[in-house]
Amino acid sequence: MRIVEIREQSIPLQANIQNSVVNFAEHTVSLVAVVSDVIRDGRPVVGVAFDSIGRFAQSGLLRERFIARLAKAAPEDLSDDAGTGIDTEKAFRIMMRNEKPGGHGDRAHAVAAVELALWDLNAKLAGVPAWRLIADRFGVTAAARMPVYAAGGYYYPEDSVGRLQDEMRGYQDLGYTSFKMKIGGASLAEDMTRIEAALAVIGDAKCLAVDANGRFDTPTAIAYGKAMAGFGLRWYEEPGDPLDYRLMDELAKVYDETLATGENLFSCRDVDNLIRYGGMRPGRDLFQMDPGLSYGLGEFGRMVAAMEQAGFSRKQLFPHGGHNIALHIVVGLGLGGSEAYPGVFAPVGGYAPDCTLEGGAIAPGDKPGFGLEQKPDLAPYIEKLTA
């Protein structure tokens, strides 16, 4: 088995919404297809993946560096021991040749898109859903379903509070029982009103998390923490810059409820520093690293190992994502739960119809790979890229 070609296409993210920092209307995603020489049903077996939601496509980096390096590699330098699939760690090392330490950022997203497409390819070659392949490779007993929460609560230009409540009701109608909303895009007083409005619909504060998307400095983060302390919210997410570990440490000293961060940490070294200096509390605070933003599943596995070595449970990891790839990884690694983006961030956001939601928990489909071809809005892009 060998790789014949690797293709990439930048596709637009369909999301005219905003949080406290960015408007998603201009965002794009790199869709990657790894074409193998294995033919089934008259067509080559192709691995498909994308980087992640809420960033930008990595077309230049992929074509000029990472795809080009893999294209030059001999088949035996990429194949696994059995010769029936791709060794993703070998591929990672080849993609990272001549790359200096540090400088993660967009480079981490680009490598992740290819690495995850290789996992999809391997699962399809093995004829199993990706979560099963992941569980087997990492020695995890996977649960049938995974807790999931609806991430939303964005800011709207008109009737923001009313539309926020309608949004939460809509998620409830879909079967979600846990939710997340944005803060930091309005004044503290306005955000408290928005939280109270959301709770009027949801009821239980332990079912609502809030996300500042890294907006605050330390005094503001603490002021919000003090104002929200009485709510007893599920968690308070990414209050400040993702690399401001001192902010997290100081906030943890005065905010007794659960904190969450890590979405914008793209390497295991960054996670090590968060553990060492960020005041994260075992048994209480949550990590949210995203494989699609951090070199793929191999580096993500090293992050999980770093957490566990420091006394944290993998159940304290709720990855950023909200799509099929993230769901298969959460299930396969036995993590704490999965994010969902129902109705937004098309065509990559949300789950395929064969991912069933019951009692606030979701099960991935049983099609080989990540099941991206099962998403009706994403399937035409995949068909065009793989034709």
Side-chain angles (χ1 to χ4, degrees):
M1 197 286 295
R2 67 182 183 88
I3 295 173
V4 174
E5 185 182 2
I6 302 177
R7 305 168 185 170
E8 184 271 347
Q9 178 187 1
S10 173
I11 62 176
L13 197 65
Q14 299 165 24
N16 191 20
I17 52 178
Q18 66 183 52
N19 60 31
S20 65
V21 178
V22 300
N23 187 307
F24 296 96
E26 298 179 358
H27 283 191
T28 53
V29 176
S30 276
L31 183 67
V32 171
V34 179
V35 184
S36 78
D37 67 347
V38 177
I39 305 299
R40 291 181 183 167
D41 299 323
R43 300 189 63 174
V45 179
V46 180
V48 180
F50 48 84
D51 44 3
S52 193
I53 289 171
R55 308 299 187 281
F56 295 94
Q58 310 300 324
S59 304
L61 292 175
L62 282 162
R63 294 174 185 174
E64 295 172 13
R65 283 154 61 182
F66 305 117
I67 292 176
R69 289 170 189 159
L70 288 178
K72 295 177 182 177
E76 58 270 22
D77 292 336
L78 290 171
S79 64
D80 59 20
D81 292 340
T84 57
I86 299 297
D87 187 315
T88 55
E89 279 299 308
K90 288 181 181 178
F92 172 76
R93 290 193 293 270
I94 289 171
M95 284 190 282
M96 291 299 290
R97 284 177 181 169
N98 286 329
E99 297 287 332
K100 291 184 176 181
H104 303 295
D106 285 5
R107 179 180 77 183
H109 317 342
V111 172
V114 179
E115 197 257 17
L116 291 169
L118 294 175
W119 278 93
D120 184 64
L121 174 62
N122 285 338
K124 288 172 177 172
L125 291 170
V128 298
W131 67 264
R132 170 56 63 194
L133 179 67
I134 293 167
D136 290 346
R137 294 285 176 86
F138 285 88
V140 174
T141 301
R145 292 186 174 274
M146 188 59 58
V148 66
Y149 66 92
Y154 295 93
Y155 289 94
Y156 299 97
E158 297 178 356
D159 188 25
S160 185
V161 170
R163 292 181 65 180
L164 170 65
Q165 291 184 313
D166 289 343
E167 184 182 353
M168 296 299 162
R169 292 189 189 98
Y171 296 150
Q172 288 177 324
D173 292 341
L174 292 172
Y176 290 93
T177 59
S178 296
F179 315 87
K180 186 172 76 176
M181 61 174 285
K182 302 301 183 180
I183 59 172
S187 68
L188 174 58
E190 289 175 296
D191 275 338
M192 293 307 104
T193 298
R194 295 177 69 252
I195 293 172
E196 290 170 352
L199 288 175
V201 174
I202 297 167
D204 186 356
K206 288 300 180 185
C207 295
L208 178 65
V210 295
D211 183 1
N213 291 105
R215 179 68 182 270
F216 302 146
D217 58 15
T218 301
T220 307
I222 290 175
Y224 265 78
K226 290 180 177 178
M228 296 187 299
F231 289 124
L233 298 170
R234 190 179 187 192
W235 70 70
Y236 174 12
E237 179 174 331
E238 205 171 42
D241 187 287
L243 296 179
D244 192 345
Y245 304 126
R246 178 175 291 178
L247 181 154
M248 290 297 297
D249 182 59
E250 293 186 9
L251 179 59
K253 292 174 181 176
V254 298
Y255 187 73
D256 291 333
E257 303 295 329
T258 301
L259 295 171
T261 192
E263 168 189 335
N264 289 294
L265 301 183
F266 306 145
S267 74
C268 189
R269 179 60 62 208
D270 287 332
V271 174
D272 285 338
N273 285 332
L274 175 63
I275 292 169
R276 292 169 182 166
Y277 308 117
M280 301 293 281
R281 299 161 292 189
R284 182 179 306 182
D285 297 325
L286 304 178
F287 294 76
Q288 299 174 307
M289 294 77 73
D290 181 346
L293 298 175
S294 51
Y295 296 104
L297 189 51
E299 183 77 352
F300 189 73
R302 289 183 279 275
M303 293 176 178
V304 176
M307 287 177 54
E308 293 184 324
Q309 289 168 8
F312 294 88
S313 166
R314 65 177 56 208
K315 295 296 184 181
Q316 291 178 255
L317 179 48
F318 284 69
H320 169 264
H323 47 68
N324 265 43
I325 297 175
L327 176 60
H328 277 259
I329 291 172
V330 167
V331 171
L333 292 179
L335 307 181
S338 189
E339 187 172 26
Y341 289 125
V344 295
F345 297 127
V348 296
Y351 301 124
D354 62 345
C355 299
T356 56
L357 176 64
E358 295 179 8
I362 197 160
D366 59 2
K367 301 296 183 182
F370 289 121
L372 298 179
E373 293 84 355
Q374 307 307 309
K375 282 197 89 254
D377 50 354
L378 184 57
Y381 292 97
I382 296 174
E383 181 63 29
K384 180 179 179 180
L385 186 60
T386 59

PDB file of all heavy atoms in Angstrom, residues 374-386:
ATOM      1  N   GLN A 374     -20.539  11.024   5.424  1.00  0.00           N
ATOM      2  CA  GLN A 374     -21.945  10.883   5.807  1.00  0.00           C
ATOM      3  C   GLN A 374     -22.610  12.229   6.083  1.00  0.00           C
ATOM      4  O   GLN A 374     -23.827  12.277   6.261  1.00  0.00           O
ATOM      5  CB  GLN A 374     -22.066   9.989   7.043  1.00  0.00           C
ATOM      6  CG  GLN A 374     -21.370   8.631   6.907  1.00  0.00           C
ATOM      7  CD  GLN A 374     -21.782   7.877   5.673  1.00  0.00           C
ATOM      8  OE1 GLN A 374     -22.970   7.719   5.417  1.00  0.00           O
ATOM      9  NE2 GLN A 374     -20.806   7.406   4.903  1.00  0.00           N
ATOM     10  N   LYS A 375     -21.816  13.314   6.132  1.00  0.00           N
ATOM     11  CA  LYS A 375     -22.402  14.642   6.364  1.00  0.00           C
ATOM     12  C   LYS A 375     -22.907  15.197   5.033  1.00  0.00           C
ATOM     13  O   LYS A 375     -22.116  15.467   4.121  1.00  0.00           O
ATOM     14  CB  LYS A 375     -21.363  15.603   6.949  1.00  0.00           C
ATOM     15  CG  LYS A 375     -21.093  15.403   8.422  1.00  0.00           C
ATOM     16  CD  LYS A 375     -20.386  16.621   9.017  1.00  0.00           C
ATOM     17  CE  LYS A 375     -21.347  17.670   9.527  1.00  0.00           C
ATOM     18  NZ  LYS A 375     -21.508  18.872   8.778  1.00  0.00           N
ATOM     19  N   PRO A 376     -24.204  15.404   4.883  1.00  0.00           N
ATOM     20  CA  PRO A 376     -24.742  15.852   3.597  1.00  0.00           C
ATOM     21  C   PRO A 376     -24.175  17.169   3.099  1.00  0.00           C
ATOM     22  O   PRO A 376     -24.003  17.349   1.887  1.00  0.00           O
ATOM     23  CB  PRO A 376     -26.254  15.969   3.881  1.00  0.00           C
ATOM     24  CG  PRO A 376     -26.501  15.028   5.021  1.00  0.00           C
ATOM     25  CD  PRO A 376     -25.264  15.120   5.873  1.00  0.00           C
ATOM     26  N   ASP A 377     -23.858  18.093   4.014  1.00  0.00           N
ATOM     27  CA  ASP A 377     -23.343  19.386   3.563  1.00  0.00           C
ATOM     28  C   ASP A 377     -21.859  19.337   3.225  1.00  0.00           C
ATOM     29  O   ASP A 377     -21.359  20.142   2.432  1.00  0.00           O
ATOM     30  CB  ASP A 377     -23.601  20.471   4.610  1.00  0.00           C
ATOM     31  CG  ASP A 377     -23.162  20.091   6.015  1.00  0.00           C
ATOM     32  OD1 ASP A 377     -22.749  18.927   6.223  1.00  0.00           O
ATOM     33  OD2 ASP A 377     -23.229  20.945   6.918  1.00  0.00           O
ATOM     34  N   LEU A 378     -21.110  18.383   3.798  1.00  0.00           N
ATOM     35  CA  LEU A 378     -19.687  18.250   3.530  1.00  0.00           C
ATOM     36  C   LEU A 378     -19.403  17.300   2.371  1.00  0.00           C
ATOM     37  O   LEU A 378     -18.382  17.434   1.677  1.00  0.00           O
ATOM     38  CB  LEU A 378     -18.972  17.763   4.789  1.00  0.00           C
ATOM     39  CG  LEU A 378     -17.445  17.644   4.741  1.00  0.00           C
ATOM     40  CD1 LEU A 378     -16.797  18.981   4.368  1.00  0.00           C
ATOM     41  CD2 LEU A 378     -16.900  17.138   6.074  1.00  0.00           C
ATOM     42  N   ALA A 379     -20.276  16.347   2.148  1.00  0.00           N
ATOM     43  CA  ALA A 379     -20.049  15.319   1.129  1.00  0.00           C
ATOM     44  C   ALA A 379     -19.744  15.880  -0.254  1.00  0.00           C
ATOM     45  O   ALA A 379     -18.846  15.364  -0.947  1.00  0.00           O
ATOM     46  CB  ALA A 379     -21.254  14.376   1.071  1.00  0.00           C
ATOM     47  N   PRO A 380     -20.427  16.942  -0.732  1.00  0.00           N
ATOM     48  CA  PRO A 380     -20.099  17.453  -2.074  1.00  0.00           C
ATOM     49  C   PRO A 380     -18.670  17.975  -2.177  1.00  0.00           C
ATOM     50  O   PRO A 380     -18.032  17.815  -3.229  1.00  0.00           O
ATOM     51  CB  PRO A 380     -21.116  18.586  -2.273  1.00  0.00           C
ATOM     52  CG  PRO A 380     -22.253  18.236  -1.376  1.00  0.00           C
ATOM     53  CD  PRO A 380     -21.624  17.605  -0.171  1.00  0.00           C
ATOM     54  N   TYR A 381     -18.144  18.582  -1.109  1.00  0.00           N
ATOM     55  CA  TYR A 381     -16.762  19.058  -1.122  1.00  0.00           C
ATOM     56  C   TYR A 381     -15.795  17.879  -1.189  1.00  0.00           C
ATOM     57  O   TYR A 381     -14.789  17.916  -1.908  1.00  0.00           O
ATOM     58  CB  TYR A 381     -16.473  19.891   0.122  1.00  0.00           C
ATOM     59  CG  TYR A 381     -17.193  21.215   0.179  1.00  0.00           C
ATOM     60  CD1 TYR A 381     -18.383  21.358   0.886  1.00  0.00           C
ATOM     61  CD2 TYR A 381     -16.676  22.341  -0.463  1.00  0.00           C
ATOM     62  CE1 TYR A 381     -19.044  22.572   0.943  1.00  0.00           C
ATOM     63  CE2 TYR A 381     -17.328  23.571  -0.405  1.00  0.00           C
ATOM     64  CZ  TYR A 381     -18.509  23.671   0.302  1.00  0.00           C
ATOM     65  OH  TYR A 381     -19.161  24.881   0.374  1.00  0.00           O
ATOM     66  N   ILE A 382     -16.103  16.826  -0.441  1.00  0.00           N
ATOM     67  CA  ILE A 382     -15.236  15.641  -0.442  1.00  0.00           C
ATOM     68  C   ILE A 382     -15.282  14.976  -1.818  1.00  0.00           C
ATOM     69  O   ILE A 382     -14.260  14.561  -2.365  1.00  0.00           O
ATOM     70  CB  ILE A 382     -15.664  14.652   0.654  1.00  0.00           C
ATOM     71  CG1 ILE A 382     -15.470  15.281   2.037  1.00  0.00           C
ATOM     72  CG2 ILE A 382     -14.911  13.339   0.542  1.00  0.00           C
ATOM     73  CD1 ILE A 382     -15.986  14.437   3.185  1.00  0.00           C
ATOM     74  N   GLU A 383     -16.472  14.863  -2.401  1.00  0.00           N
ATOM     75  CA  GLU A 383     -16.605  14.243  -3.714  1.00  0.00           C
ATOM     76  C   GLU A 383     -15.795  15.009  -4.759  1.00  0.00           C
ATOM     77  O   GLU A 383     -15.110  14.402  -5.602  1.00  0.00           O
ATOM     78  CB  GLU A 383     -18.094  14.204  -4.104  1.00  0.00           C
ATOM     79  CG  GLU A 383     -18.368  13.568  -5.451  1.00  0.00           C
ATOM     80  CD  GLU A 383     -17.978  12.101  -5.524  1.00  0.00           C
ATOM     81  OE1 GLU A 383     -18.014  11.428  -4.465  1.00  0.00           O
ATOM     82  OE2 GLU A 383     -17.658  11.629  -6.636  1.00  0.00           O
ATOM     83  N   LYS A 384     -15.866  16.328  -4.702  1.00  0.00           N
ATOM     84  CA  LYS A 384     -15.125  17.141  -5.675  1.00  0.00           C
ATOM     85  C   LYS A 384     -13.620  16.974  -5.490  1.00  0.00           C
ATOM     86  O   LYS A 384     -12.877  16.873  -6.475  1.00  0.00           O
ATOM     87  CB  LYS A 384     -15.507  18.608  -5.510  1.00  0.00           C
ATOM     88  CG  LYS A 384     -14.797  19.549  -6.474  1.00  0.00           C
ATOM     89  CD  LYS A 384     -15.241  20.984  -6.279  1.00  0.00           C
ATOM     90  CE  LYS A 384     -14.499  21.924  -7.223  1.00  0.00           C
ATOM     91  NZ  LYS A 384     -14.943  23.339  -7.031  1.00  0.00           N
ATOM     92  N   LEU A 385     -13.158  16.919  -4.242  1.00  0.00           N
ATOM     93  CA  LEU A 385     -11.728  16.821  -3.969  1.00  0.00           C
ATOM     94  C   LEU A 385     -11.187  15.447  -4.315  1.00  0.00           C
ATOM     95  O   LEU A 385     -10.006  15.321  -4.705  1.00  0.00           O
ATOM     96  CB  LEU A 385     -11.472  17.127  -2.500  1.00  0.00           C
ATOM     97  CG  LEU A 385     -10.007  17.221  -2.048  1.00  0.00           C
ATOM     98  CD1 LEU A 385      -9.268  18.328  -2.791  1.00  0.00           C
ATOM     99  CD2 LEU A 385      -9.913  17.427  -0.540  1.00  0.00           C
ATOM    100  N   THR A 386     -11.997  14.414  -4.185  1.00  0.00           N
ATOM    101  CA  THR A 386     -11.512  13.049  -4.369  1.00  0.00           C
ATOM    102  C   THR A 386     -11.837  12.465  -5.736  1.00  0.00           C
ATOM    103  O   THR A 386     -11.445  11.340  -6.038  1.00  0.00           O
ATOM    104  CB  THR A 386     -12.082  12.116  -3.284  1.00  0.00           C
ATOM    105  OG1 THR A 386     -13.521  12.143  -3.348  1.00  0.00           O
ATOM    106  CG2 THR A 386     -11.656  12.574  -1.899  1.00  0.00           C
TER     107      THR A 386
END
